Amino acid sequence: MKRTDSLKNCLRRFASVRVLCVGDMMLDSFVYGDVDRISPEAPVPVFRWRSEKEALGGVGNVAANLRALGVGVSLVCRVGEDEAGARVRELLCDAGVSLAATVRVDVPTIRKVRFVSMNSHLLRMDRETVAWPDEAEGESVAKSVASALEEGVNLVLLSDYAKGLLSPSLCAKIIAMCRERGVPVFVDPKGTDYSKYAGATLVKPNRRELEAALGEKVDLSSPDFADRVASAARRLAEKAGLVDVMVTLSERGMVYSPADGSPAIHLATESREVSDVSGAGDTTIATLAAATAVGASVRDAMTLANVAAGIVVGKVGTAVVTPEEILRKLLRKEASGMPFESKVLARGEAAEQVAKWREAGLRVGFTNGCFDCLHCGHLSSLYQAKAYCDRLVVAINTDASVRRLKGPARPIQDERTRALVLAGLELVDAVVLFGEDTALDVVRELRPDVIAKEGYAIENWPEAQFVVSYGGEAAVLERVDGYSTSEMVKRMEARK
């Protein structure tokens, strides 16, 4: 069996398992706007509100990621008796997560509000009260965990954000209950005292958390940095009584250090366009847990988690990843191994990507054509079009539509080749194919901010008229004389 087939099988089996999540619940709010001037009242930027959204944060985002992967999820957490707590319950219900929450009147639901402009976080405002569980709350959490274990779960995941719920005594009690039943425990840790996680199956710190827990720096500049990380992870495991440790290293990938003394595993990171790293660690441990719960090997679990993290950081705000998205990424890698192939999108994918770019405050441009044999005229048009926008989408005619427009001898290059050549250009951010004689249906679906093309007057250009109708811009590009694919074909025929 090919390794890709093994990964696909893991994805298909996610729906057959159940994971119990325990940890600190948060409500993440994202406020999007524009900043284009400084306040006359004080030397601070003026943030002009544009839109906002709410999402589950903390252990809620871990649970939401597991559900998006198809895993059955039970959740034990703390919410306050307040508006944010009510909103958390609504979001969990929408996500299909089974909730057993403790309610603390004296502790508000943790809420993080992020202000975002042009894909950059300007400010984060936190509302939180850190409080250890009292005797009643501790008993309630332990009882909920015991009940879930009796009903049957394949793995327990502790998501610790150091907000108070996962006290040392409660962690010890949960890990002991799981060990008695042979249920693995994964931990996304926080703080410097990892002895509270003693006996857990796997603990996943990032580099900074590893250094804080050890009280020493880990050098990533040397060629053997993976060995150095693995050695540091083993020292932490011995110090705190841990089993396996997996360290995430952002752009340097992740390193797994096993307790049995077998060689460490280093997996390089996926190349990615980073829009927002919020919640990427939640996606990583959720995918690791899901893959482990279905019996995947460590390397396969790491691979799936790595792919999932690469997808989610390309999204804006706290987000989730689906098995279908992971599968598409795996199939693209299997097909060619060319990283720019990920720019070639289906129509629905392109619409989702355009929405994300626009939500991040980016201006989206659009142009289209056959692009049969790429020449200087094409490059000039693309260069001009990109000057009008932050992200440029190029729609190209399918082979069938080119034949209808240009005759049976065209295209010279098939649609896949033409799409890949365009995707390899830095000027181009996404490529989408269309089979109609015009690009009007694609434009209706994508609704770009600006449409750009050479050789058309707006009154004879239906796509441009549609963009202008909803407040967009139409730009007529200058043509570079002496370049056309049809003329190139004629010249080649004449030389035969």
Side-chain angles (χ1 to χ4, degrees):
M1 178 186 292
K2 291 191 301 183
R3 185 148 180 265
T4 305
D5 291 334
S6 173
L7 296 172
K8 293 176 192 175
N9 287 336
C10 287
L11 293 171
R12 282 192 287 266
R13 296 201 303 274
F14 280 173
S16 67
V17 298
R18 190 167 193 86
V19 173
L20 170 65
C21 297
V22 187
D24 296 308
M25 172 59 70
M26 304 173 195
L27 179 64
D28 281 348
S29 298
F30 294 86
V31 183
Y32 300 98
D34 301 310
V35 174
D36 51 23
R37 65 191 180 98
I38 300 298
S39 171
E41 302 164 354
V44 296
V46 175
F47 183 88
R48 188 172 67 253
W49 179 94
R50 200 160 33 83
S51 64
E52 59 186 89
K53 73 173 185 178
E54 293 175 325
L56 296 164
V59 71
N61 188 41
V62 177
N65 269 274
L66 284 163
R67 280 300 298 134
L69 292 170
V71 175
V73 184
S74 298
L75 172 61
V76 180
C77 63
R78 171 198 289 163
V79 296
E81 197 172 67
D82 50 23
E83 182 182 343
R87 182 63 178 139
V88 161
R89 291 176 183 275
E90 290 176 1
L91 292 171
L92 288 170
C93 182
D94 293 343
V97 175
S98 175
L99 174 64
T102 67
V103 178
R104 287 282 294 269
V105 177
D106 60 323
V107 180
T109 304
I110 297 171
R111 184 168 194 165
K112 296 182 178 180
V113 183
R114 297 172 174 91
F115 294 85
V116 184
S117 177
M118 292 297 292
N119 212 26
S120 297
H121 287 219
L122 303 180
L123 176 71
R124 195 181 89 184
M125 180 180 69
D126 291 1
R127 182 197 178 199
E128 64 182 37
T129 299
V130 177
W132 293 115
D134 56 24
E135 185 177 350
E137 186 178 29
E139 289 179 358
S140 176
V141 171
K143 183 177 180 181
S144 296
V145 171
S147 177
L149 290 171
E150 286 297 326
E151 293 174 4
V153 295
N154 302 91
L155 186 143
V156 172
L157 198 160
L158 305 184
S159 181
D160 192 355
Y161 276 79
K163 302 305 179 186
L165 183 66
L166 289 173
S167 64
S169 60
L170 190 53
C171 284
K173 186 177 292 187
I174 293 171
I175 292 170
M177 286 192 289
C178 292
R179 288 175 66 91
E180 287 175 9
R181 293 167 175 79
V183 176
V185 180
F186 278 23
V187 180
D188 202 349
K190 193 67 72 176
T192 57
D193 182 12
Y194 278 38
S195 63
K196 65 189 287 190
Y197 312 125
T201 312
L202 182 139
V203 178
K204 185 201 72 65
N206 59 34
R207 175 197 177 181
R208 289 183 180 177
E209 290 164 344
L210 174 66
E211 290 176 338
L214 279 176
E216 61 183 70
K217 291 290 185 180
V218 180
D219 182 16
L220 298 186
S221 62
S222 61
D224 64 342
F225 74 90
D227 293 334
R228 292 172 182 262
V229 171
S231 176
R234 288 280 20 106
R235 292 198 300 276
L236 177 62
E238 292 165 5
K239 173 184 175 182
L242 308 176
V243 185
D244 295 342
V245 177
M246 186 173 296
V247 185
T248 55
L249 304 169
S250 188
E251 72 279 1
R252 306 301 294 270
M254 57 181 73
V255 173
Y256 168 72
S257 179
D260 62 8
S262 55
I265 298 174
H266 172 231
L267 200 66
T269 193
E270 291 283 319
S271 60
R272 62 194 75 171
E273 176 184 342
V274 178
S275 291
D276 197 332
V277 297
S278 302
D282 296 334
T283 300
T284 299
I285 196 161
T287 311
L288 284 171
T292 302
V294 299
S297 67
V298 171
R299 186 173 290 277
D300 280 355
M302 291 173 68
T303 299
L304 292 173
N306 202 22
V307 171
I311 294 169
V312 82
V313 297
K315 302 184 178 186
V316 178
T318 307
V320 298
V321 177
T322 66
E324 291 74 22
E325 289 175 302
I326 297 174
L327 182 58
R328 282 197 297 268
K329 189 71 176 270
L330 291 172
L331 291 176
R332 283 174 180 152
K333 289 175 65 178
E334 181 182 42
S336 70
M338 292 183 282
F340 52 80
E341 189 180 16
S342 62
K343 292 185 188 177
V344 182
L345 305 176
R347 294 256 280 261
E349 290 179 304
E352 290 179 8
Q353 183 61 71
V354 167
K356 292 167 192 168
W357 283 334
R358 190 173 291 114
E359 191 175 57
L362 301 174
R363 182 172 167 85
V364 179
F366 177 92
T367 191
N368 67 279
C370 299
F371 295 95
D372 196 353
C373 292
L374 199 66
H375 51 65
C376 285
H378 290 138
L379 293 177
S380 174
S381 292
L382 293 171
Y383 182 81
Q384 292 177 67
K386 188 59 178 282
Y388 286 92
C389 59
D390 301 303
R391 296 290 184 269
L392 179 62
V393 179
V394 180
I396 66 171
N397 296 77
T398 60
D399 291 347
S401 66
V402 174
R403 282 192 289 272
R404 290 197 305 271
L405 294 169
K406 304 288 186 178
R410 300 279 298 276
I412 295 171
Q413 300 189 99
D414 62 49
E415 61 194 43
R416 173 178 165 76
T417 301
R418 290 182 284 125
L420 287 175
V421 169
L422 283 168
L425 300 177
E426 281 191 28
L427 291 166
V428 177
D429 299 289
V431 180
V432 60
L433 280 80
F434 67 99
E436 300 86 0
D437 291 341
T438 75
L440 185 56
D441 287 346
V442 186
V443 172
R444 284 176 175 152
E445 193 167 354
L446 302 187
R447 297 179 68 87
D449 300 298
V450 58
I451 185 168
K453 196 169 171 67
E454 63 179 38
Y456 284 87
I458 293 179
E459 59 268 20
N460 300 321
W461 186 7
E463 296 95 328
Q465 292 169 22
F466 177 74
V467 173
V468 171
S469 73
Y470 58 75
E473 180 183 359
V476 179
L477 307 178
E478 294 183 11
R479 180 187 294 274
V480 178
D481 294 331
Y483 294 97
S484 88
T485 301
S486 297
E487 289 300 320
M488 290 172 63
V489 173
K490 288 180 183 178
R491 289 196 295 270
M492 287 188 289
E493 290 292 333
R495 292 176 181 177
K496 288 183 178 178

